[in-house]
Amino acid sequence: MKKVLLVTASLVALGAAAPAVAADLAARPYTKAPPMVATIYDWSGFYIGVNGGWGSSHNTWTNTSDFGFPVGEGSHDATGGTVGGQLGYRWQAGNWVFGLEGQGNWADFSGSNASLALIATNRTKIDAFGLITGQVGYAWNNVLLYVKGGAAVTNSKHEGLFLGVVADSVEKTRWGGSVGAGLEFAFAPGWSAGVEYNHLFLDTESNTFSNPAFGVTRIDDIKQDVDLVTVRVNYKFGFGGAPLIAKY
């Protein structure tokens, strides 16, 4: 009889303890999940890169020395390929990106037309150009759309050919302005690629042609502008993303 009572008392004690254990388990505090952290690409910093593409220069010649009044000799486009490099710095404020850049390119632009005033073929060659520009852009994380503008310079050679032989020529460094736009995509830490268009305004300049044997041969006003389309790859120093804590 005593054994039965002891067993019964033990069961009753266990039954009383079970709700307390369950209550302890249910009372664990709820821990809120940490906020999600996303990485936003930062366009700020120095960068260096290479570019390559295509260009076309429109050249209009007007003879001002041989007839007593200006006579148009016609126009031609000097086209060809180009390759070069760029170096710049950007800083980002919110989604807005501002920058400064210098660019230098080798070029192989060439074109000609038969003169409408002289028995000659007029030819233009551009073997180099450079840009010094400022940029203003808007970034969607790792995608950047920008416009740019500043100074432009070309090294241009103008030649008059008679029966396929250079009869007179002049070589000049021409300064002007530049405007353009580009779209750039950051595809890896520090690396970005894009496409860019630029228009160069070189205006009209007087050019004095000469021949080694005869000296000055003629004077022409030549109006020049250039259109450029290039693909670019840049490497940004000190790359990295800026953490943005997004609360959900």
Side-chain angles (χ1 to χ4, degrees):
M1 185 67 178
K2 290 181 178 181
K3 292 182 178 180
V4 173
L5 292 174
L6 289 172
V7 170
T8 303
S10 299
L11 291 175
V12 171
L14 289 173
V21 173
D24 290 341
L25 292 174
R28 288 180 181 178
Y30 171 74
T31 302
K32 187 178 180 181
M36 181 175 292
V37 177
T39 300
I40 299 300
Y41 188 82
D42 184 5
W43 291 92
S44 299
F46 288 96
Y47 63 91
I48 190 171
V50 296
N51 71 81
W54 173 88
S56 177
S57 169
H58 188 70
N59 301 268
T60 300
W61 298 39
T62 302
N63 186 286
T64 60
S65 62
D66 295 339
F67 302 96
F69 53 89
V71 176
E73 294 196 50
S75 304
H76 57 262
D77 293 327
T79 61
T82 179
V83 63
Q86 60 271 354
L87 176 67
Y89 179 78
R90 288 173 174 147
W91 61 96
Q92 185 167 352
N95 292 95
W96 292 98
V97 180
F98 307 90
L100 295 171
E101 182 182 278
Q103 177 180 335
N105 277 54
W106 293 277
D108 185 21
F109 304 165
S110 181
S112 63
N113 72 283
S115 172
L116 303 179
L118 304 172
I119 305 175
T121 297
N122 293 332
R123 180 169 68 185
T124 297
K125 295 181 177 180
I126 295 179
D127 58 16
F129 66 85
L131 305 175
I132 303 173
T133 54
Q135 298 181 5
V136 178
Y138 192 87
W140 293 269
N141 196 2
N142 62 332
V143 177
L144 174 64
L145 177 66
Y146 60 89
V147 294
K148 60 187 298 187
V153 59
T154 66
N155 190 70
S156 301
K157 188 171 185 179
H158 305 292
E159 300 173 323
L161 285 71
F162 179 71
L163 298 178
V165 178
V166 176
D168 56 8
S169 65
V170 59
E171 187 169 0
K172 296 192 72 171
T173 298
R174 303 183 58 149
W175 285 88
S178 170
V179 295
L183 180 66
E184 196 165 336
F185 171 73
F187 60 88
W191 291 95
S192 61
V195 61
E196 185 176 284
Y197 165 78
N198 288 284
H199 182 80
L200 281 54
F201 304 88
L202 283 307
D203 208 357
T204 302
E205 285 193 5
S206 178
N207 295 265
T208 301
F209 287 75
S210 63
N211 178 285
F214 303 105
V216 175
T217 54
R218 56 174 163 158
I219 300 174
D220 268 51
D221 286 346
I222 299 179
K223 186 179 186 302
Q224 183 180 83
D225 55 30
V226 183
D227 291 290
L228 304 167
V229 178
T230 54
V231 175
R232 299 153 54 95
V233 177
N234 288 327
Y235 177 78
K236 182 169 71 71
F237 299 96
F239 59 86
L244 173 66
I245 299 177
K247 296 181 181 180
Y248 295 94

